[in-house]
Amino acid sequence: MCGIIGIVGRAPVSDRLVDALRRLEYRGYDSAGIATLCNSRLDRRRASGKLRNLEAVLEKSPLEGLIGIGHTRWATHGAPTEANAHPHLGAHVAVVHNGIIENFKELRDALIKAGHSFSSDTDTEVIAHLLSDRIARGLSPHDAVKDTLDQLEGAFALAILINGEDRVMFGARRGSPLVVGYGEGESYLGSDAIALAGLTNRICYLEEGDWVQMSNDTVQIFDMTGAAVERPVTLSAATGALVDKGNHRHFMLKEIYEQPTVVGQTLSSYIDPLNQRIVLQDLCFDPKTISRITLIACGTSYYAAMVAKYWIEHYAHIPVDVDIASEFRYRAPVLSQGGLAVFISQSGETADTLAALRHCKQAGQTVAAIVNVPESTMAREADMVFPIHAGPEIGVASTKAFTCQLSVLAALAIGFGVLRKTIDRSLEATLVQALSEVPSRMAEVLHHDEKLRDIAADLANARDVLYLGRGTDYPIALEGALKLKEISYIHAEGYAAGELKHGPIALIDQAVPIVVIAPMGPLFEKTVSNMEEAIARGGKVILMSCKDGLKNHSDMAVASIELPQVHPMATPLLYALPVQLLAYHTAVHKGTDVDQPRNLAKSVTVE
Ligand code: F6R
């Protein structure tokens, strides 16, 4: 969601705050702002829209100061206007906030009664007024912050400056992550480790309820009760990670092209290609005795979970439930004793998935997390972590994280099958061989980029697009539709091909392109029958299949893409790429903002 940066420095901070916001812009880009303290006076600059608007404001009206906070916003309360942009000011403080203050209405009413007047529609502004109120009553900054935090309900990460306190910054974390960075005579706050790239790699993840008082050379951390606590300082790899587009026009394209490499890296942690074996690190559970697996995630990660259900049930014979985190957490799910709950998340911070994780942990499930960010909250709270090694994913639309999640899930399905003896040695070798070939096959798929760009030129004129697939390719149809709608704003729906005649077929006419994902395999003929039903009603099909699949059917389609023929287990990994590229080129054709599509944010840390 929103991005936060804070610097207590020895040198001017304004430019460095903006640099950090640039790295954080993927988290939210409705508006941005910074505030600094200079000669005991708080000052701020804000602008609605992209960060470049703030940069233009700062160019005309620079900010001085050795201490400052910055924010890039994904709106929750109040429209994305300058008035609602952070930092928010009270009479004595400046505050930036990620999260939601649930009791803001009652706090705001009480503050208005006490004579405060508000200039934004945000929940954040109550924090600024509440804190100012405490300071006006004579509390020390430390006590005022503690007292204010005690009044707040909801999820938040905060960075706070106080008028007159030129060497002091406060931060707090409840529900939303916050990182403290240790530099050379400087200290930092960031909503994630990427915020601190280039500043320091010595970081400390605040724990739930922690808050911090820091100067340029001291950091004091307190827990929810106000007791001073020590938290471990670690060296973060994320802060050294390069966050640039290379030669690519967009992060999304770069990340699509990275897939052969990162999927190869991921697989190499889970398979031994030489001996054609699965290698699972020490498991904290015994797959032989697991009664049921519950897979929980949101969005694209949820589609990875859907694919995994097919694999785990087929190869390891373990019953699998798949749940959308936001639905799971408010149901009364009946969890089996001895069950394993697996949480899949690129960021490891998605609020609904995290809440579901905590629920399962409390309910006595063994909890595993499949995450891209190894230091994320989910990774830290799970009993066991399966890292996906995709590297930083900056494009808001998830691409390489999806295929890396699938790689881990495929290895787990096979590994569980081996341990449960539902897979014999020869099948293990066949499946591991199929997975080891995926990176090179992905590289072949990327050669279709130009052809997909041509198809996208037509697709860009469509109002609605359907995606069809069966089995493990049904979630790929859903993922293709999600990619298209989120970055090109074209309405798209994915369906299980066999469901077509139960309703969606009514949508089909000559104006609705239908992307059919039909790799050769046990379900090929059935998918083709559904495709024929659509063509018989005027549907214009874009067919994705392999050479054998296209042999007798490509002439029925208005366009086709030939993918390598691979083992059925590998098809979702490969077919993810053309649907990503199709969405990408359609969006570029339409001229939308591919990396920062409207209304979206990368890491959804509010429910
Ligand atoms: C879509 C997309 C989102 C995320 C979802 C979950 O392209 O990126 O649907 O997959 O918000 O995010 P994580 O995986 O970080 O929990």
Side-chain angles (χ1 to χ4, degrees), residues 298-301 345-347 350 396-398 405 482-483 486 604:
C298 298
T300 290
S301 300
S345 173
Q346 187 284 126
S347 60
T350 302
V396 163
S398 186
Q405 289 166 346
L482 176 62
K483 286 287 92 85
E486 69 182 325
V604 185

Side-chain angles (χ1 to χ4, degrees), residues 262-461:
V262 292
V263 163
Q265 271 161 19
T266 307
L267 285 171
S268 66
S269 310
Y270 294 90
I271 63 176
D272 168 1
L274 203 61
N275 297 303
Q276 298 185 315
R277 304 224 68 148
I278 292 289
V279 200
L280 296 184
Q281 50 182 318
D282 288 342
L283 300 175
C284 72
F285 53 89
D286 182 358
K288 294 197 283 297
T289 58
I290 287 172
S291 53
R292 176 170 286 277
I293 296 180
T294 309
L295 300 175
I296 299 173
C298 298
T300 290
S301 300
Y302 170 70
Y303 297 146
M306 284 180 76
V307 174
K309 176 180 168 73
Y310 289 89
W311 285 337
I312 298 171
E313 290 185 340
H314 183 81
Y315 290 114
H317 300 191
I318 307 173
V320 176
D321 290 324
V322 183
D323 251 294
I324 294 175
S326 55
E327 289 299 314
F328 176 88
R329 63 181 291 196
Y330 293 116
R331 268 207 338 263
V334 180
L335 297 163
S336 314
Q337 238 199 341
L340 170 70
V342 182
F343 297 84
I344 307 169
S345 173
Q346 187 284 126
S347 60
E349 301 293 350
T350 302
D352 285 319
T353 312
L354 182 59
L357 182 152
R358 287 174 177 158
H359 175 89
C360 286
K361 212 169 168 183
Q362 231 168 13
Q365 299 285 288
T366 302
V367 165
I370 298 180
V371 292
N372 193 28
V373 182
E375 298 116 338
S376 60
T377 311
M378 279 182 224
R380 282 179 289 122
E381 295 194 10
D383 300 316
M384 159 135 228
V385 181
F386 297 101
I388 69 164
H389 306 298
E393 191 182 63
I394 303 298
V396 163
S398 186
T399 51
K400 61 175 180 169
F402 178 63
T403 44
C404 288
Q405 289 166 346
L406 288 180
S407 305
V408 173
L409 287 160
L412 292 182
I414 305 168
F416 292 175
V418 171
L419 291 166
R420 291 166 69 89
K421 301 199 184 341
T422 51
I423 287 184
D424 62 17
R425 179 69 198 96
S426 127
L427 181 55
E428 180 187 13
T430 305
L431 295 173
V432 170
Q433 179 60 27
L435 289 183
S436 353
E437 286 173 13
V438 164
S440 58
R441 297 282 174 262
M442 281 181 156
E444 286 173 42
V445 175
L446 292 173
H447 290 140
H448 293 294
D449 195 7
E450 215 159 295
K451 185 155 187 202
L452 286 158
R453 197 167 58 204
D454 294 343
I455 299 173
D458 284 338
L459 209 64
N461 300 316

